[in-house]
């Protein structure tokens, strides 16, 4: 049943991205070229909603459905990784118009393109895995 | 449906995924760890993929929901009306053809950057831009700024050169 719940959340999230066209190559190009406010509005209001939710959760000590306290830990700062990884991801996002969620949506929507993207991402992750394992051996 | 769902409705709905996941699943929002999770099933010989992958299994389940949405929702609403709606803007003509099968290699190469970059930066738009910035995390703010620098570079310099 836990699987079904997560699947439904993913489906709902994908539905919103589709309805607002955030999956679209065209919308992402518009965003990077400052031709439309649409995607900025989506991102800013999403971040604001998430931030307010986190403040409410903290202030009222909201518990999870299992009764556990909710803890949120920020990702660790690693300037080199955040900057180089961030730039590389940005290049991929700009080229394909797809970050991770739209990548999966495209598998359903335009399966040839979506699968090419997905295979690319998997090879990319594999290469990163090798890079990361070597880095730690040095 | 000729125009997209308004940003002031879509954005808050997207943001709500953060408290929903925390309350229902005790998970912080992110999607790109699903690649590492899949890697843990496929590339067992590489150290990076030997980790407690079960904590990321939910991201793979979430991704299946996304794929199903991509299959089903376009049957119900016209998600790509934009092709005709905004065909006059500078990218209109490219857009009509962008998802054609002749661009498979282009998307594969772009996917390489998405996969490598998101794992190197330890997050993507979901984990850094939305989950991370909403916690005012420095690492997520730095990453998001770099996402945009990379995207701006491609949009202004690479895309006009390619198409």
């Amino acid at each position: 049943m836990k699987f079904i719940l997560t699947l439904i959340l993913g489906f709902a999230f994908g539905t919103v991205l589709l309805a607002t066209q955030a999956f679209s190559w065209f919308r992402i190009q518009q965003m990077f070229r400052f031709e439309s406010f649409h995607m900025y509005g989506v991102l800013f209001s999403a971040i604001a909603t998430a931030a307010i939710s986190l403040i409410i959760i903290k202030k009222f000590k909201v518990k999870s459905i299992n009764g556990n306290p909710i803890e949120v830990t920020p990702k660790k700062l690693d300037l080199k990784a955040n900057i180089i990884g961030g730039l590389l991801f940005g290049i991929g996002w700009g080229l394909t118009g797809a970050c991770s969620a739209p990548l999966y949506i495209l598998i359903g929507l335009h399966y040839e393109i979506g699968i090419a993207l997905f295979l690319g991402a998997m090879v990319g992750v594999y290469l990163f895995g090798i890079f990361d394992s070597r880095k730690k051996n040095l | 449906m000729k125009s997209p769902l308004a940003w002031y409705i879509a954005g808050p709905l997207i943001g709500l995924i953060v408290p929903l996941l925390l309350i229902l699943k005790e998970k912080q929002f992110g999607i790109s760890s699903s690649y590492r999770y899949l890697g843990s099933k496929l590339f067992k010989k590489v150290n990076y993929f030997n980790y407690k992958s079960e904590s990321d299994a939910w991201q793979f389940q979430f991704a299946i929901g996304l794929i199903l949405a991509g299959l089903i929702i376009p049957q119900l609403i016209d998600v790509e009306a934009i092709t005709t709606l905004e065909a006059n803007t500078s990218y209109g003509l490219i857009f009509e053809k962008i998802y054609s099968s002749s661009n498979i290699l282009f998307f594969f190469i772009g996917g390489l950057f998405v996969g490598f970059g998101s794992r190197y930066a330890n997050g993507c738009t979901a984990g850094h831009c939305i989950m991370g910035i909403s916690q005012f995390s420095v690492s997520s703010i730095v990453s998001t700024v770099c996402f945009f620098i990379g995207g701006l570079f491609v949009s202004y310099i690479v895309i006009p050169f390619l198409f």
Side-chain angles (χ1 to χ4, degrees):
Chain A
M1 282 311 289
K2 281 184 176 171
F3 168 78
I4 300 292
L5 175 67
T6 315
L7 197 126
I8 291 171
L9 285 174
F11 187 86
F13 188 70
T15 302
V16 178
L17 292 187
L18 280 157
T20 199
Q21 296 169 344
F23 72 95
S24 153
W25 187 87
F26 182 85
R27 283 288 174 203
I28 302 304
Q29 294 306 325
Q30 264 190 334
M31 172 181 79
F32 284 132
R33 296 186 66 97
F34 304 102
E35 286 176 5
S36 160
F37 179 73
H38 182 72
M39 282 307 302
Y40 290 101
V42 169
L43 279 171
F44 287 137
S45 57
I47 294 167
T49 307
I52 292 166
S53 308
L54 290 178
I55 291 169
I56 292 173
I57 285 176
K58 202 172 172 188
K59 181 148 196 198
F60 294 97
K61 298 191 171 66
V62 176
K63 292 201 163 123
S64 79
I65 199 164
N66 297 327
N68 297 322
I70 291 174
E71 282 169 30
V72 180
T73 42
K75 291 175 189 281
K76 270 195 198 126
L77 180 67
D78 178 345
L79 269 183
K80 192 180 162 201
N82 290 146
I83 291 173
I84 301 174
L87 289 173
L88 291 173
F89 176 80
I91 289 171
W93 191 16
L95 283 174
T96 66
C99 46
S100 302
L103 184 148
Y104 287 114
I105 289 175
L106 282 169
I107 296 179
L109 189 62
H110 296 284
Y111 68 95
E112 285 176 322
I113 293 299
I115 288 171
L117 255 170
F118 174 70
L119 290 178
M122 287 310 293
V123 174
V125 169
Y126 174 72
L127 293 175
F128 175 72
I130 291 177
F131 166 79
D132 184 71
S133 306
R134 283 204 183 150
K135 195 173 65 183
K136 281 182 183 140
N137 286 336
L138 289 178
Chain B
M1 185 188 226
K2 288 235 154 131
S3 51
L5 181 63
W7 63 263
Y8 48 83
I9 299 171
L13 287 175
I14 289 170
L16 279 178
I17 196 73
V18 167
L20 277 174
L21 279 171
L22 285 169
I23 292 168
L24 298 173
K25 304 279 306 171
E26 300 177 8
K27 293 290 182 190
Q28 293 191 198
F29 184 41
I31 298 175
S32 66
S33 292
S34 59
Y35 308 144
R36 192 181 183 189
Y37 171 79
L38 287 168
S40 76
K41 307 286 168 204
L42 296 169
F43 318 125
K44 288 180 182 162
K45 285 184 183 165
V46 182
N47 252 339
Y48 174 72
F49 299 105
N50 286 319
Y51 78 113
K52 288 179 187 159
S53 61
E54 284 319 301
S55 62
D56 286 337
W58 73 273
Q59 290 201 7
F60 173 64
Q61 299 159 3
F62 192 86
I64 294 180
L66 290 170
I67 297 174
L68 289 176
L71 270 172
I72 296 166
I73 299 303
Q75 317 295 327
L76 310 175
I77 58 171
D78 187 5
V79 296
E80 292 183 289
I82 194 169
T83 45
T84 48
L85 191 69
E86 306 206 30
N88 295 329
T89 60
S90 53
Y91 281 94
L93 284 175
I94 301 171
F95 181 73
E96 289 192 35
K97 293 179 288 190
I98 192 73
Y99 292 126
S100 72
S101 25
S102 56
N103 288 334
I104 280 182
L105 185 65
F106 170 76
F107 278 94
F108 176 81
I109 293 168
L112 283 174
F113 283 94
V114 172
F116 192 101
S118 64
R119 290 295 76 220
Y120 196 1
N122 192 24
C124 61
T125 328
H128 273 313
C129 292
I130 296 178
M131 185 71 218
I133 295 185
S134 68
Q135 302 168 67
F136 309 105
S137 138
V138 179
S139 115
S140 294
I141 293 167
V142 170
S143 300
T144 302
V145 168
C146 291
F147 295 168
F148 271 83
I149 295 172
L152 289 170
F153 165 74
V154 167
S155 257
Y156 280 96
I157 295 167
V158 183
I159 296 280
F161 178 77
L162 282 176
F163 292 99

